[in-house]
Amino acid sequence: MNRPLPKIFLLALLLPASAGAASLRFSGASLQPVEVAPETGTGLDAVYVVNSTSGLSMTFTASSATTTVEVERFDLRGASYPATVDPATISRNGADVTLSTVEGGCGYIFREPSRVSYFWIADYSAAPFTITAINPAPDQDCDRAYLIPSGDAPHMTYTSINGRSYDIDRQITLEYTTLTPDPENVRYNSASTSVSLPYVNGQIGITPPLCDTYFHLSGDRFLRAWNREQQCTSSRFTTSSVETITKATQTSRIADNEVKVETGSLGGSAPVEIEFEAAVTDAAVFTQWLMARDPEMDDIIYRTSDLSFKYTFTEMGTVYVQFQAADASGKCDVSSDQYSVFIGESMLRCPNAFSPGATPGINDEWKVVYKSIVSFECYIFNRWGEKMCEFHDPSQGWDGKYGGKVVPAGVYYYVIKAVGSDGRKYNLSGDINILGYND
């Protein structure tokens, strides 16, 4: 069964295929004009940058040899203000309409009954690239590098049919060496980079290189297309900008009898060992890590000029850590993000029974339950005062053995001396009941 085609599809079949954008051909030019794609919404079919309009002619191809074509010109006000083109400068050969005289800095309109085509002609000779040298400015900022060119490459523009001005990007290339951060490995790596400048009209300001370097300027896109690119290299640039990357890595500790303190960042149950690492860019001369009890970093409790160090936190509370660096003059400086390390209060509890050898892995070792214990001594005796074992790490315990053999069931005694992160002193003693076990 044949179904009728949808109305939308029938309409599509009846409409003619849209033609591509119109274009121009040029002759008499010493250098081939460069076509620049106009911004969407300008109404222009194309923008052409010509080296010079002297002796230049251009040809537009009409839809057919019999189609009438009217030629007009418009200025910065847009296509709503057309001006007549001298008929004496227009000739026709079949579908080709040729203008023997071309002006720069204006637009051209080719009107046909079925379409209207708009073009803009930019004269490069009116804004040539004349930069012959480039050097660092005598005064530099910490967050901006300035270069002074000899010569310029001023704005080049075109105008939409509505009279709006658009910049033509000259794609001038500025190349130099800088440093790029590698946060994972806490270091900076040398890297070549480049900046594309749409124009140069006076002093150039860019993100400053992070190492001493030379600037290499080349341009522009039109001279490149014409194989006439100009290049220059600056004198040595001395960097003063300072940047840093830092990293804090807490040493992990796994103990099944330690109560964890959830901080969301650094710290937890003391003692907490953290390695702090920093890397700086070449201009950094002064460096220091600071620790303080307040986020304003006024109450300093520790400082070091080392880029990397380890520190063990043993006191309850929050400590703030920050890295600082500066250049030789002290004008350019940087501070890292602030790290906060929280240490919780202490706790120590002792079980009173276990069963070594009864069920492996289940209550077969006597261990305290603790958090934030920074000093610890534990001694275990039998009922005759004979020492069965001792240990000085609260994560350790007694497996119920003496001389390599499990001791008999019965009552044993512990004596503990400990100090917590909050300064609390623990002097504990009590019974340990060893339950029956299998030999």
Side-chain angles (χ1 to χ4, degrees), residues 406-429:
V406 177
V407 300
V411 179
Y412 295 80
Y413 306 93
Y414 66 83
V415 175
I416 293 176
K417 291 183 179 180
V419 178
S421 61
D422 46 8
R424 181 179 176 183
K425 295 181 179 180
Y426 296 85
N427 292 293
L428 306 177
S429 61

Side-chain angles (χ1 to χ4, degrees), residues 97-434:
V97 178
T98 300
L99 277 68
S100 60
T101 301
V102 180
E103 295 184 29
C106 67
Y108 284 87
I109 308 170
F110 293 85
R111 298 185 187 275
E112 302 175 78
S114 60
R115 67 173 180 174
V116 180
S117 303
Y118 302 90
F119 305 94
W120 186 268
I121 308 298
D123 186 357
Y124 187 87
S125 65
F129 182 102
T130 62
I131 300 173
T132 57
I134 187 169
N135 284 295
D139 296 320
Q140 300 287 339
D141 290 340
C142 298
D143 56 357
R144 200 74 175 158
Y146 296 101
L147 305 169
I148 299 177
S150 296
D152 63 6
H155 275 287
M156 294 179 67
T157 63
Y158 64 90
T159 299
S160 73
I161 64 173
N162 294 321
R164 179 181 173 183
S165 178
Y166 290 82
D167 285 335
I168 298 175
D169 187 357
R170 304 185 71 138
Q171 298 179 8
I172 301 164
T173 302
L174 182 68
E175 299 173 291
Y176 56 95
T177 300
T178 187
L179 300 178
T180 58
D182 180 358
E184 181 64 27
N185 296 301
V186 196
R187 66 186 181 192
Y188 282 89
N189 300 317
S190 178
S192 297
T193 188
S194 64
V195 175
S196 182
L197 306 173
Y199 65 92
V200 173
N201 189 9
Q203 185 171 262
I204 302 171
I206 61 168
T207 300
L210 299 175
C211 61
D212 293 354
T213 188
Y214 296 89
F215 292 97
H216 182 75
L217 186 78
S218 59
D220 52 17
R221 67 189 287 190
F222 306 107
L223 294 181
R224 290 190 199 104
W226 297 327
N227 294 319
R228 295 188 176 188
E229 183 179 43
Q230 298 185 30
Q231 303 179 355
C232 57
T233 301
S234 74
S235 58
R236 185 178 178 86
F237 172 86
T238 301
T239 184
S240 60
S241 298
V242 178
E243 287 191 9
T244 183
I245 49 177
T246 60
K247 185 178 181 180
T249 306
Q250 182 168 326
T251 301
S252 61
R253 184 173 65 244
I254 300 175
D256 58 5
N257 59 327
E258 182 178 19
V259 177
K260 304 304 179 185
V261 178
E262 298 297 333
T263 66
S265 55
L266 298 173
S269 174
V272 172
E273 182 185 69
I274 301 176
E275 181 179 17
F276 295 94
E277 301 173 85
V280 293
T281 53
D282 290 0
V285 173
F286 302 105
T287 61
Q288 66 174 352
W289 279 100
L290 298 176
M291 290 186 186
R293 298 190 186 278
D294 60 311
E296 292 75 29
M297 307 302 290
D298 293 328
D299 185 10
I300 303 297
I301 60 175
Y302 180 82
R303 73 175 71 221
T304 179
S305 60
D306 294 337
L307 289 178
S308 301
F309 72 101
K310 288 184 178 180
Y311 191 89
T312 301
F313 295 83
T314 59
E315 296 185 13
M316 185 182 72
T318 301
V319 174
Y320 301 90
V321 186
Q322 191 172 48
F323 179 76
Q324 299 175 348
D327 72 336
S329 68
K331 175 184 175 183
C332 300
D333 57 17
V334 66
S335 296
S336 73
D337 291 338
Q338 202 173 70
Y339 298 98
S340 61
V341 181
F342 173 77
I343 302 298
E345 64 182 355
S346 68
M347 180 270 284
L348 182 61
R349 294 199 302 264
C350 303
N352 60 10
F354 75 117
S355 54
T359 307
I362 301 176
N363 196 33
D364 61 348
E365 188 175 8
W366 186 87
K367 286 183 177 182
V368 301
V369 178
Y370 74 98
K371 67 176 178 178
S372 289
I373 298 299
V374 298
S375 175
F376 183 83
E377 298 176 34
C378 180
Y379 304 90
I380 297 177
F381 304 91
N382 62 16
R383 59 181 175 175
W384 295 285
E386 185 179 8
K387 186 170 69 174
M388 299 289 96
C389 74
E390 71 174 87
F391 48 93
H392 300 269
D393 185 337
S395 67
Q396 297 176 350
W398 182 36
D399 60 3
K401 293 180 180 180
Y402 178 72
K405 295 182 179 181
V406 177
V407 300
V411 179
Y412 295 80
Y413 306 93
Y414 66 83
V415 175
I416 293 176
K417 291 183 179 180
V419 178
S421 61
D422 46 8
R424 181 179 176 183
K425 295 181 179 180
Y426 296 85
N427 292 293
L428 306 177
S429 61
D431 299 342
I432 301 174
N433 293 290
I434 292 184

